[in-house]
Amino acid sequence: MSVTVAIVGRPNVGKSTLFNRLVGRKIALVDDTPGVTRDRREAEGRISELRFRLLDTAGFEDVSDDSLEARMRLQTEAAIAEAEVILFMIDARAGVTPLDERFAQLLRKANKRVHLIANKAEGKAAQAGLMEAFSLGFGEPVPLSAEHGEGLGDLYNIVAEAVEAVETGAAELVTDRMPEINVDVTDEVDGDEEELRWNPSRFLNVAIVGRPNAGKSTLINRLVGEERLLTGPEAGITRDSILVPWEWEGRVINLVDTAGIRRRARVQQKLEKLAVSDSLRSIQYAEIVVLMLDATMPFEKQDLQLASLVEREGRALIIAVNKWDLVEDKSATLAHLKEACTRLLPQMRGIPLVTLSGLKGTNIPRLMDAIFEIEKVWNARISTARLNRWLTGMVEGHPPPAVSGRRLKLRYITQAKSRPPSFVVFCSRPDALPTAYQRYIVNGLRETFDLPGAPIRLWVRGGDNPFAPKGRKK
């Protein structure tokens, strides 16, 4: 049974820095600007052999209206409700502030295990703040330097104690129930563990990308059935790329919400540059990318650039046209969108296009069906025999052109790998094979072997059939 540990505190005390330290890699954005983190982020934390579920939270703001800060506070309160262990962080150099005191009052009402963490405790400048921390009423503060990794031994003891308490409670619960169920409890527990253990091969990483305010976070909230991510009328709410595990029909889907990506010329501030870079990295680590378009402003230049980026990274692409409930003439608009998709993105002919409303939850099953179908295409394998029979027909139907008076010979084709489907063609003069003829081969592969939407890689190599017996050319 995993223990959940939440890091909470006012803005800019170093919560995300400690989160990255415990996770072991920099996945949360860190900057001197207060309020960088907005959504609660989840990952596996580790200290030595200890493993636990770790939550990073937005800086606590003492507001309760309809503002963005108030919605951020609700996300923090949700993390507190989930966690068994609360790490209440203050800045030892700044001492105890009124906002720290207000947050301490809230935590005392939560009836949770709270440990006071005094960050930035290296050096003499922190001594006064460490003494002030006793006034918050959580006992002796744990001095820590998240940036330099000092004080992690004390955190180990805190988490280890919580793990032991949870495991002891779970064992007592099983013992209490044994006489009631009248079965071999040991066998049943082992069987349940085997059944529930996550198999990495079952994971599917799906990144949701698009321009600001396209409805990415709203869609994920609708999918998971809770207000997991911050949403609102303000553009650019999401900054970090947030991974949200979710299950659909027995399949574990890792949904990744990303910051809205504007044109590079408009991205000026350092923080937005960090957020955009984080979103682009999410595309690299995804398997399926859902490009969200605003139905009221579809296929703008930035949308096309994002689609091209996904194709260059070799990821499977689905276009989701959001806010479909705002469209009046749906039939005419859908026909226009399909025509525009074919015309503007010819390199990925047959991209699935799904209209939906993240706010109202319409067409969610269609989106998931499209995701699973494009996954099959992205993982497709085609036998070498089928490929070469197909290549013979393609060459007979449309022979490659003669270059400098010499006709090119395509001798052999094989699939090098999948994810995405990648093929190697052996040719007598690979440097002379025209780009147009390579497109002819790629389009033929896509049409004949039913590979719509996914990127296709084609490499042209020189030489004879490498698999033919020696002394025999084909």
Side-chain angles (χ1 to χ4, degrees):
M1 184 177 295
S2 178
V3 168
T4 300
V5 179
I7 308 172
V8 302
R10 64 178 176 83
N12 218 31
V13 294
K15 300 183 296 298
S16 294
T17 302
L18 178 60
F19 179 85
N20 287 339
R21 171 73 61 179
L22 296 179
V23 171
R25 52 197 175 99
K26 294 182 178 180
I27 61 175
L29 293 183
V30 176
D31 192 70
D32 292 335
T33 306
V36 172
T37 302
R38 289 175 170 174
D39 290 286
R40 67 185 190 272
R41 178 191 283 275
E42 175 182 339
E44 182 189 60
R46 61 184 66 184
I47 309 175
S48 187
E49 79 284 357
L50 281 180
R51 299 292 185 270
F52 49 93
R53 179 173 175 244
L54 186 64
L55 302 179
D56 187 22
T57 63
F60 178 81
E61 299 280 2
D62 190 16
V63 289
S64 56
D65 51 18
D66 295 328
S67 64
L68 175 60
E69 289 75 14
R71 300 198 298 275
M72 291 164 58
R73 170 179 168 162
L74 292 177
Q75 290 287 320
T76 299
E77 292 176 349
I80 293 172
E82 287 185 43
E84 286 87 22
V85 178
I86 309 295
L87 301 182
F88 175 26
M89 181 177 285
I90 65 169
D91 184 339
R93 295 181 182 178
V96 176
T97 68
L99 190 55
D100 291 326
E101 294 174 347
R102 179 70 186 90
F103 198 10
Q105 294 175 5
L106 175 69
L107 290 175
R108 277 192 285 271
K109 298 176 182 178
N111 195 26
K112 291 294 181 76
R113 193 190 307 257
V114 178
H115 299 271
L116 184 59
I117 307 298
N119 191 30
K120 308 178 186 179
E122 67 277 19
K124 295 182 179 180
Q127 294 303 313
L130 287 171
M131 297 303 296
E132 287 183 20
F134 281 90
S135 66
L136 293 173
F138 294 108
E140 183 178 358
V142 176
L144 182 79
S145 173
E147 184 175 358
H148 301 291
E150 299 176 5
L152 295 184
D154 292 326
L155 286 187
Y156 176 92
N157 294 332
I158 290 171
V159 178
E161 180 183 350
V163 170
E164 182 179 358
V166 170
E167 290 178 348
T168 302
E172 292 175 353
L173 181 63
V174 172
T175 303
D176 291 342
R177 291 183 177 179
M178 283 179 63
E180 300 177 7
I181 56 180
N182 195 28
V183 295
D184 187 339
V185 175
T186 304
D187 291 343
E188 179 168 310
V189 171
D190 290 343
D192 287 346
E193 288 178 351
E194 184 66 30
E195 180 68 24
L196 297 176
R197 186 178 296 122
W198 280 4
N199 182 353
S201 65
R202 294 174 58 207
F203 292 169
L204 181 62
N205 298 317
V206 179
I208 315 293
V209 305
R211 289 181 284 117
N213 222 27
K216 302 179 291 295
S217 300
T218 301
L219 174 62
I220 292 181
N221 285 344
R222 172 62 65 173
L223 291 174
V224 302
E226 62 173 297
E227 293 300 311
R228 176 63 180 81
L229 301 168
L230 278 176
T231 60
E234 305 92 344
I237 290 179
T238 303
R239 286 174 173 169
D240 289 278
S241 293
I242 306 295
L243 186 148
V244 181
W246 172 61
E247 186 171 321
W248 174 269
E249 296 182 352
R251 185 78 182 276
V252 177
I253 312 292
N254 289 329
L255 299 169
V256 182
D257 187 27
T258 62
I261 303 176
R262 299 194 296 167
R263 288 188 310 177
R264 183 179 299 178
R266 293 185 178 180
V267 179
Q268 301 294 334
Q269 296 182 353
K270 175 188 174 184
L271 188 55
E272 186 176 0
K273 290 180 180 179
L274 291 173
V276 169
S277 297
D278 201 26
S279 298
L280 298 180
R281 281 194 297 272
S282 297
I283 293 176
Q284 295 174 344
Y285 288 105
E287 295 162 307
I288 313 297
V289 176
V290 177
L291 174 58
M292 293 279 288
L293 305 186
D294 187 330
T296 62
M297 298 181 294
F299 287 116
E300 293 197 349
K301 183 178 180 180
Q302 184 66 7
D303 298 324
L304 301 178
Q305 291 178 341
L306 285 173
S308 297
L309 174 63
V310 173
E311 192 274 337
R312 290 196 302 271
E313 292 293 338
R315 302 298 178 251
L317 176 65
I318 292 174
I319 293 180
V321 183
N322 193 28
K323 306 181 184 179
W324 193 243
D325 51 308
L326 303 180
V327 175
E328 295 183 0
D329 190 348
K330 290 180 169 51
S331 297
T333 303
L334 181 59
H336 172 73
L337 288 172
K338 290 182 176 179
E339 184 276 330
C341 186
T342 302
R343 172 171 48 85
L344 298 173
L345 297 170
Q347 72 274 31
M348 297 180 73
R349 185 178 300 175
I351 300 175
L353 188 148
V354 180
T355 59
L356 55 85
S357 171
L359 184 63
K360 297 187 176 181
T362 56
N363 283 347
I364 297 300
R366 285 187 54 199
L367 174 64
M368 299 310 302
D369 289 343
I371 287 175
F372 292 141
E373 285 299 319
I374 199 71
E375 182 197 12
K376 293 178 183 177
V377 173
W378 195 61
N379 286 276
R381 297 289 305 189
I382 305 169
S383 70
T384 300
R386 289 184 64 198
L387 285 171
N388 281 280
R389 287 195 296 269
W390 166 82
L391 181 63
T392 300
M394 291 288 286
V395 172
E396 290 177 352
H398 180 45
V403 179
S404 300
R406 298 169 55 191
R407 184 165 296 281
L408 303 176
K409 296 181 180 179
L410 302 186
R411 296 192 170 100
Y412 188 77
I413 185 172
T414 187
Q415 183 171 358
K417 68 181 190 70
S418 58
R419 303 164 64 92
S422 304
F423 304 88
V424 180
V425 171
F426 292 90
C427 176
S428 59
R429 298 167 60 198
D431 295 338
L433 188 65
T435 302
Y437 200 84
Q438 294 182 39
R439 284 199 299 268
Y440 166 70
I441 295 175
V442 168
N443 290 335
L445 285 167
R446 193 182 300 282
E447 182 178 348
T448 303
F449 298 105
D450 194 21
L451 303 174
I456 293 178
R457 299 287 186 257
L458 182 68
W459 298 302
V460 183
R461 299 286 185 265
D464 300 320
N465 177 359
F467 298 98
K470 291 184 178 180
R472 177 185 172 190
K473 296 183 178 181
K474 186 175 180 180

